[in-house]
């Protein structure tokens, strides 16, 4: 029976015990296409579950707050409610991205549809920006034309409800997003966390209104806008790094260490990691004995891929190219490719 390894969690293979090494060699295991597909589908399923649960929680929260806005006229609570509704709706493009990510690669989309997550992340960033603009515009208008806030105790209760719902959703989304490697889901969690803090700010608005300060509501609305802008910066940085194929340098270091421990690998050349959705792929050049046969070089490459799959979390595949060890005085075997690498004039 095949024992499938889940690469969503790193394996501790730095100092395996003798018993663990023996068990690993004797126990059948596979890193084939079916196993990698199962792992990817499980990650997408976790992401979809997080979206549906958070959509339900935020939907109920936003509806309750909208009712309070109608009877109180609080512009601070209105900004918080709009942000909650926008946060709930961002689950739609992200859910579409998770569904697309499950589709198999084609001859046109040879890497599959995982990049749809990056597009969803951009939509989320734009949604945060739009909600910040709306909240700021509404608060500025109310600052020029202040109005009293009615039903202050109800506004305060709605603010507490907004904080509780959003903070729970934020923790849930960020935890699942980091577990499956989805930058878009983490950005969506940061979006929800913004709502949690802005809901607390609405409490300040209600307190100021209770004390008779007529500008409390619009001033807090502007503070909410500033808070949204700060989270917008963090979410945009997270998403655009992913769009530009940025990875944590620690992952590269970890991959290099794993490769250097593979028997037969005499050096590590070019090593590239990239995210495709919430899964990683690698392209690596390893240096092997120049006298090795083709079968020996292939075995080393397979061992190198195997080591990477264990060492790098969420890695699904690695393309390993074996280079012969340089011989003093011999021509560079890559010389015929040199003119293709020249920078354009």
């Amino acid at each position: 029976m095949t024992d499938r390894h889940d690469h969503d969690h790193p394996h501790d293979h730095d100092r395996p015990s003798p018993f663990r090494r023996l068990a690993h060699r004797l126990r059948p295991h596979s890193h084939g296409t079916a196993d990698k597909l199962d792992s990817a589908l499980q990650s997408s399923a976790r992401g979809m579950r997080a979206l549906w649960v958070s959509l339900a929680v935020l939907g109920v929260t936003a509806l309750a707050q909208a009712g309070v806005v109608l009877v109180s006229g609080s512009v601070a609570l209105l900004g918080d409610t709009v942000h909650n509704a926008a946060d709930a709706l961002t689950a739609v493009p992200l859910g579409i991205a998770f569904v697309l990510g499950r589709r198999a690669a084609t001859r046109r989309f040879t890497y599959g549809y995982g990049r749809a997550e990056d597009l969803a992340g951009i939509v989320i960033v734009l949604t945060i920006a739009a909600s910040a603009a709306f909240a700021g515009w509404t608060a500025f208008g109310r600052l020029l034309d202040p109005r009293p806030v009615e039903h202050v105790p109800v506004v305060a209760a709605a603010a507490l409800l907004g904080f509780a719902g959003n903070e729970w959703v934020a923790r849930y989304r960020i935890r699942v997003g980091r577990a499956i490697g989805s930058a878009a889901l983490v950005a969506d969690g940061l979006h929800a966390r913004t709502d949690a803090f802005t809901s607390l700010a609405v409490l300040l608005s209600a307190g100021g209104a209770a004390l008779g300060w007529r500008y409390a509501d619009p001033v807090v609305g502007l503070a909410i806008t500033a808070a949204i802008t700060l989270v917008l910066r963090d979410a945009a940085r997270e998403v655009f790094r992913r769009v530009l194929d940025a990875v944590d340098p620690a992952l590269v270091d970890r991959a290099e260490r794993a490769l250097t421990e593979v028997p037969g690998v005499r050096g590590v050349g070019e090593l590239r990691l990239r995210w495709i959705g919430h899964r990683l792929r690698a392209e690596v050049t390893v240096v092997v004995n120049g006298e090795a046969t083709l079968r020996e070089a292939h075995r080393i490459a397979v061992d190198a891929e195997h080591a990477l799959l264990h060492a790098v979390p969420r890695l699904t595949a690695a393309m390993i190219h074996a280079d012969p060890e340089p011989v003093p005085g011999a021509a560079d075997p890559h010389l015929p490719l040199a003119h293709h690498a020249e920078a354009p004039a």
Side-chain angles (χ1 to χ4, degrees):
M1 183 176 180
T2 300
D3 180 25
R4 295 178 177 175
H5 294 264
D6 182 3
H7 295 289
D8 285 340
H9 303 283
H11 294 270
D12 183 13
H13 283 238
D14 294 333
R15 293 187 179 87
S17 65
F19 175 80
R20 186 172 181 178
R21 288 199 301 267
L22 178 62
H24 183 74
R25 289 183 179 276
L26 295 179
R27 184 177 60 239
H29 58 285
S30 171
H31 296 285
T33 301
D35 297 307
K36 296 166 187 174
L37 182 59
D38 284 349
S39 181
L41 290 176
Q42 289 169 7
S43 296
S44 295
R46 289 185 65 186
M48 287 295 293
R49 185 166 57 250
L51 289 177
W52 282 116
V53 171
S54 58
L55 176 62
V57 173
L58 290 178
V60 171
T61 301
L63 286 175
Q65 288 186 317
V68 176
V69 169
L70 291 177
V71 299
S72 67
S74 170
V75 69
L77 186 59
L78 174 62
D80 192 30
T81 303
V82 170
H83 201 191
N84 283 337
D87 195 8
L89 291 176
T90 54
V92 176
L94 194 49
I96 293 173
F98 280 136
V99 171
L100 283 176
R102 297 180 180 185
R103 298 181 62 180
T106 66
R107 291 183 66 83
R108 182 179 294 276
F109 297 96
T110 56
Y111 281 96
Y113 297 81
R115 284 288 190 180
E117 273 189 50
D118 298 330
L119 297 178
I122 294 174
V123 171
I124 290 170
V125 169
L126 294 176
T127 302
I128 298 175
S131 61
F134 177 82
W137 176 78
T138 306
F140 185 74
R142 188 59 61 88
L143 189 64
L144 297 177
D145 182 23
R147 302 173 190 175
V149 176
E150 300 177 357
H151 306 287
V152 173
V154 181
V155 172
L160 286 174
L161 174 64
F163 170 76
N166 280 288
E167 181 59 22
W168 186 89
V169 166
R171 289 174 180 268
Y172 185 40
R173 284 180 175 176
I174 292 172
R175 183 176 71 250
V176 175
R178 287 176 176 168
I180 68 174
S182 173
L185 189 55
V186 170
D188 219 11
L190 292 173
H191 190 190
R193 176 148 289 163
T194 303
D195 290 340
F197 287 118
T198 54
S199 294
L200 287 181
V202 173
L203 273 179
L204 297 178
S205 169
L211 295 174
W213 186 33
R214 59 189 310 201
Y215 290 103
D217 193 48
V219 166
V220 171
L222 291 174
I224 288 174
T225 303
I228 297 173
T229 302
L230 290 176
V231 171
L232 172 64
R233 179 197 63 185
D234 293 339
R237 182 168 52 200
E238 184 84 16
V239 169
F240 285 114
R241 279 179 178 174
R242 183 63 62 87
V243 169
L244 294 177
D245 284 334
V247 297
D248 185 352
L251 287 178
V252 180
D253 295 338
R254 188 169 187 168
E256 287 180 339
R257 287 196 300 270
L259 289 169
T260 56
E261 294 174 0
V262 175
V265 172
R266 301 193 175 185
V268 179
E270 189 175 69
L271 193 162
R272 294 181 178 179
L273 296 172
R274 70 185 306 187
W275 288 98
I276 301 177
H278 49 271
R279 315 300 295 174
L280 277 169
R281 292 181 68 93
E283 297 175 8
V284 186
T285 298
V286 295
V287 179
V288 302
N289 184 355
E291 302 301 321
T293 65
L294 177 59
R295 289 186 181 278
E296 290 172 341
H298 181 264
R299 177 189 57 77
I300 295 171
V302 170
D303 290 345
E305 182 179 3
H306 192 180
L308 284 179
L309 288 169
H310 278 286
V312 181
R314 294 179 288 278
L315 181 71
T316 56
M319 180 63 68
I320 311 292
H321 174 76
D323 269 353
E325 196 170 23
V327 176
D332 184 354
H334 298 105
L335 193 59
L337 302 175
H339 66 284
H340 291 287
E342 293 178 359

